[in-house]
Amino acid sequence: MSNEHQSVSIEAKHVTKIYGGRAAVDQVTLQVNKGEFVSLLGPSGCGKTTLLRMLGGLEQPDDGIILLGGQDVTGVPAYGRNSNMIFQQLALFPHMDVFNNIAYGLKVKKTPKAEIKRQVHEMLELVQLGEYSRRAVSQLSGGQAQRVAIARALINKPEVLLLDEPLSALDMQLRLDMQRELKRIQREFGGTFIFVTHDQSEAMNMSDRIGVMRAGRLLQYATPDEIYERPADSFVAKFIGDTNLLDVSVVEPDSNGIRVSILGNSLLAGSNEEPASFRPGAKHSLSIRYEYIRLGEDAAHCANQLQGRVIESVYGGASIRYVIETLDHLRIQASVPHQRGGRRYSPGESVQLGFDPDDALLLEDSGTGAAS
């Protein structure tokens, strides 16, 4: 077997699933390496759970193939694959204690009792529940129940663990705690985890790579920083983090980037593509992250400068978010780091704003179709 196949845990090639004449998953190709934590991210109905269920064998693709550990498992049901899945509803056995919930998979395989005991206690230590083996499921907190479900799923050492929004029912603080706990477990276990979520901060916090989906298609599959700093299109830019999306027209390539026009203003932008590939007169979206906007004296050295008036100022502790309206009635939002005693702008105050070409990304408009 090649080194490439040895390092790949699970792979989908041109996978499609049709429901009622509509492609819920549309020609998706995805490769996950051993030991990676990958998140599938997108709005409700984008196809991420359907893709996850196909990877796990709970659904079968209408087209394309799925490889697990280098072997073609297309058409093989879930029970015939070396993978496991955790759902939002954890489905722990209420009549069994923690030990027997975790041991269930080993008992089905008729593993010797001494080996069951050893492996269950190993899993309890991994999920930091060593003192809870005889605790009733009904006595567990939400986070403890999550960890029992993870231990039960990992006891048979699956090639891939698939997780379908398992944290979405938890309150915010517990959810943040479980994100850290899940990443720790994945790292210590050394396995491959694929995690479905519609929460972009959750995906950014946990993932080695993120697949952003919309309307059944995989728009971008990359590291969190690549997706944040170099989004594939305007939908990805808006879905991951906060950004200003401005409708601009291309004027011409420039030695420092691409010159664009908006409401009579000439601006310089960067792009993921070669500047020469942008046709003069073509309409595009210009993405500028809120935190890339500079204000006042900080704007003086920026290549792009606009004059405006503060419409709104929202204090957020570490930062202040401003809504600024330019003289041409263009509304731009900025998020500026706040220091005690630092400069603050009030609504109605005039202010200069600026940004550099590298911080203004010219993107394809992904359209306005529903992400169903």
Side-chain angles (χ1 to χ4, degrees):
M1 190 178 292
S2 70
N3 289 334
E4 180 187 358
H5 283 154
Q6 287 174 350
S7 68
V8 175
S9 209
I10 192 166
E11 185 173 5
K13 291 186 175 181
H14 307 293
V15 168
T16 296
K17 184 68 179 179
I18 306 293
Y19 289 125
R22 181 181 63 84
V25 173
D26 191 359
Q27 290 287 315
V28 168
T29 293
L30 181 80
Q31 190 178 81
V32 181
N33 295 326
K34 291 184 186 296
E36 271 193 308
F37 195 117
V38 165
S39 289
L40 300 176
L41 175 68
S44 297
C46 70
K48 57 190 184 295
T49 292
T50 301
L51 176 58
L52 193 78
R53 290 173 66 86
M54 287 192 288
L55 292 174
L58 296 173
E59 304 272 1
Q60 301 304 330
D62 294 313
D63 195 15
I65 64 171
I66 293 170
L67 303 172
L68 181 64
Q71 302 298 313
D72 187 347
V73 293
T74 314
V76 176
Y79 61 80
R81 300 186 185 190
N82 185 24
S83 60
N84 214 332
M85 194 159 179
I86 296 177
F87 302 92
Q88 184 177 335
Q89 305 301 325
L90 301 177
L92 295 176
F93 301 119
H95 62 288
M96 295 182 187
D97 61 16
V98 167
F99 181 97
N100 285 296
N101 262 280
I102 296 172
Y104 180 79
L106 296 179
K107 289 180 176 180
V108 169
K109 292 165 65 173
K110 302 192 185 305
T111 304
K113 285 186 177 180
E115 184 61 16
I116 289 176
K117 185 175 181 180
R118 185 191 69 78
Q119 290 195 39
V120 170
H121 282 294
E122 188 179 277
M123 279 294 140
L124 283 167
E125 290 304 314
L126 176 68
V127 299
Q128 297 183 345
L129 290 174
E131 305 298 317
Y132 288 76
S133 65
R134 295 306 173 188
R135 186 73 61 92
V137 168
S138 60
Q139 296 177 310
L140 299 175
S141 69
Q144 290 165 349
Q146 291 281 350
R147 285 183 277 166
V148 172
I150 292 165
R152 185 178 67 176
L154 293 178
I155 194 79
N156 285 324
K157 296 184 169 48
E159 172 79 27
V160 180
L161 181 62
L162 307 162
L163 304 105
D164 188 11
E165 303 208 48
L167 309 184
S168 59
L170 303 178
D171 64 55
M172 181 57 71
Q173 188 54 54
L174 182 55
R175 188 169 180 163
L176 292 172
D177 291 342
M178 278 305 302
Q179 288 174 18
R180 289 189 288 270
E181 185 69 4
L182 191 56
K183 184 62 180 174
R184 178 193 66 78
I185 291 169
Q186 185 262 341
R187 186 171 56 248
E188 292 183 12
F189 181 74
T192 304
F193 284 23
I194 304 179
F195 184 90
V196 158
T197 182
H198 61 270
D199 184 326
Q200 52 102 348
S201 63
E202 193 164 78
M204 295 285 283
N205 289 344
M206 300 169 71
S207 309
D208 298 310
R209 284 194 287 176
I210 299 171
V212 182
M213 294 188 67
R214 187 191 195 204
R217 289 188 171 273
L218 186 65
L219 300 183
Q220 189 169 6
Y221 183 46
T223 62
D225 55 325
E226 286 175 312
I227 284 179
Y228 189 84
E229 296 172 13
R230 294 287 165 182
D233 64 19
S234 60
F235 176 82
V236 177
K238 198 69 175 174
F239 199 79
I240 301 283
D242 295 318
T243 195
N244 298 282
L245 278 181
L246 310 179
D247 295 328
V248 300
S249 299
V250 174
V251 177
E252 61 183 355
D254 187 280
S255 58
N256 296 314
I258 303 155
R259 189 157 295 282
V260 300
S261 175
I262 179 170
L263 298 176
N265 295 292
S266 178
L267 304 171
L268 273 174
S271 75
N272 294 326
E273 312 296 333
E274 287 294 323
S277 67
F278 288 90
R279 181 173 51 82
K283 308 293 185 183
H284 288 273
S285 292
L286 187 66
S287 171
I288 317 162
R289 297 284 181 198
Y290 292 0
E291 68 270 22
Y292 295 166
I293 300 289
R294 305 285 178 260
L295 299 182
E297 292 180 1
D298 292 337
H301 302 292
C302 294
N304 298 304
Q305 296 182 23
L306 297 167
Q307 196 68 31
R309 181 172 58 90
V310 175
I311 301 297
E312 187 178 329
S313 171
V314 179
Y315 175 73
S319 64
I320 301 173
R321 180 171 295 185
Y322 295 101
V323 179
I324 299 161
E325 187 174 85
T326 70
L327 299 179
D328 303 295
H329 306 292
L330 186 67
R331 289 210 170 189
I332 294 177
Q333 296 197 53
S335 181
V336 179
H338 173 61
Q339 294 179 334
R340 184 181 296 176
R343 178 74 166 93
R344 290 179 67 171
Y345 298 94
S346 302
E349 194 171 350
S350 293
V351 64
Q352 187 177 43
L353 65 86
F355 52 93
D356 288 321
D358 287 346
D359 294 331
L361 200 61
L362 202 58
L363 299 172
E364 293 293 336
D365 190 342
S366 57
T368 57
S372 59

